[in-house]
Amino acid sequence: MQKAYKETGMNDIFETIKQVAFEIDTAIKTSDLGYSDSENSSGEDQLKLDVQSDIIIEKAFANVASVKALVSEEKEGVLELSETGKYTVCYDPLDGSSLVNVNLSVGSIFGIYEGELEGKNLVASAYVVYGPRVELVIATRDSKPMLSRVIAGKFKEIGEIFMNEKGKLNASGGTQQNWSDYHKAFIDSLFAEGYRLRYSGGMVPDLHQIMLKGGGLFSYPGTTDKPNGKLRQLFEVIPFALMYEQAGGEAINNKGMRLLELLPAHPHDTSPCFFGSKYEITALRKAYGIKA
Ligand code: P6P
């Protein structure tokens, strides 16, 4: 019997995520979209909005008793908050932020860990999509992803998300000229089957769309310019792996390893990642010569 996420003792964390969602949505609509004079730990230029979103989240979690520490895409290491806290929250405060100034959807991603920061210790994940509507999805190890939407200024639960065995959408990330031949042949084979390209360059809306539209494949492979992929394990890849597995899909790396079993070498470690319905992930294993 699946347990609703509210019964998990992490409700103070989920309520805090709802609070910061409103604050960051307001910041997106009112702040200066210029660049700050700093870079994040992945060497990416930081928008003032990145820094502002990070501060909003850090301030909000500073008073949440169950939170032991924070890891942010916008900061180097682990920020210790409380010795009595139970969970470490790893987050990307505004993923895809460079899309804001072309008015595309962006998101915040949260991975909630208990113990060492590795895939098997992820106990829940959440993400917020800032689009035409503000939506929140929360999943735990015991619950399917639950979709909520801001209606009349409040988050209202819409329903659980589940994915079909096979989908129709193909979100193929990474610079195509740097794909391996077998990855290119695999992606082309899906298009030859009639899949439709749906890729905005924002991980949150791209993965959200595939889950809501019943399935398909999101891929960000290792490439010649980024052999270990681009997406960060702790606060991008592992949190979405829980979402996809709990929605009935699969989430693996280029060696067939479940992304929920990843062991990050450091807080900003990356991994090639594939998220999808069972049919597409099975086809990927075949294309990559991986035994199931
Ligand atoms: P590319 C945004 O910068 C991001 O981190 C993810 O949101 C997105 O999936 C990916 O990078 C896009 O990367 O190389 O396809 O532009």
Side-chain angles (χ1 to χ4, degrees), residues 158-172:
I158 304 299
E160 289 181 337
I161 300 174
F162 61 91
M163 292 167 66
N164 303 327
E165 277 293 303
K166 182 179 187 300
K168 299 184 179 69
L169 305 183
N170 189 7
S172 41

Side-chain angles (χ1 to χ4, degrees), residues 95-96 174 199 201-203 218 220 230-232 236:
D95 183 82
Y199 192 77
M203 176 182 197
F218 175 99
Y220 205 107
K230 171 185 183 184
L231 302 180
R232 274 62 52 132
E236 291 174 327

Side-chain angles (χ1 to χ4, degrees), residues 28-100:
I28 288 168
K29 292 174 169 64
T30 56
S31 296
D32 169 358
L33 297 183
Y35 279 94
S36 67
D37 52 7
S38 57
E39 283 185 350
N40 67 16
S41 308
S42 301
E44 296 161 337
D45 291 336
Q46 285 179 309
L47 282 166
K48 289 175 188 167
L49 198 50
D50 287 320
V51 176
Q52 186 179 356
S53 303
D54 185 33
I55 291 168
I56 287 169
I57 294 173
E58 183 185 328
K59 280 184 174 166
F61 276 115
N63 306 313
V64 177
S66 64
V67 176
K68 174 177 183 291
L70 297 175
V71 173
S72 167
E73 186 201 46
E74 303 305 337
K75 288 201 235 349
E76 186 60 40
V78 179
L79 176 66
E80 299 294 343
L81 290 181
S82 147
E83 284 178 13
T84 54
K86 186 175 177 185
Y87 303 109
T88 298
V89 179
C90 300
Y91 63 90
D92 183 350
L94 200 59
D95 183 82
S97 55
S98 59
L99 297 171
V100 170

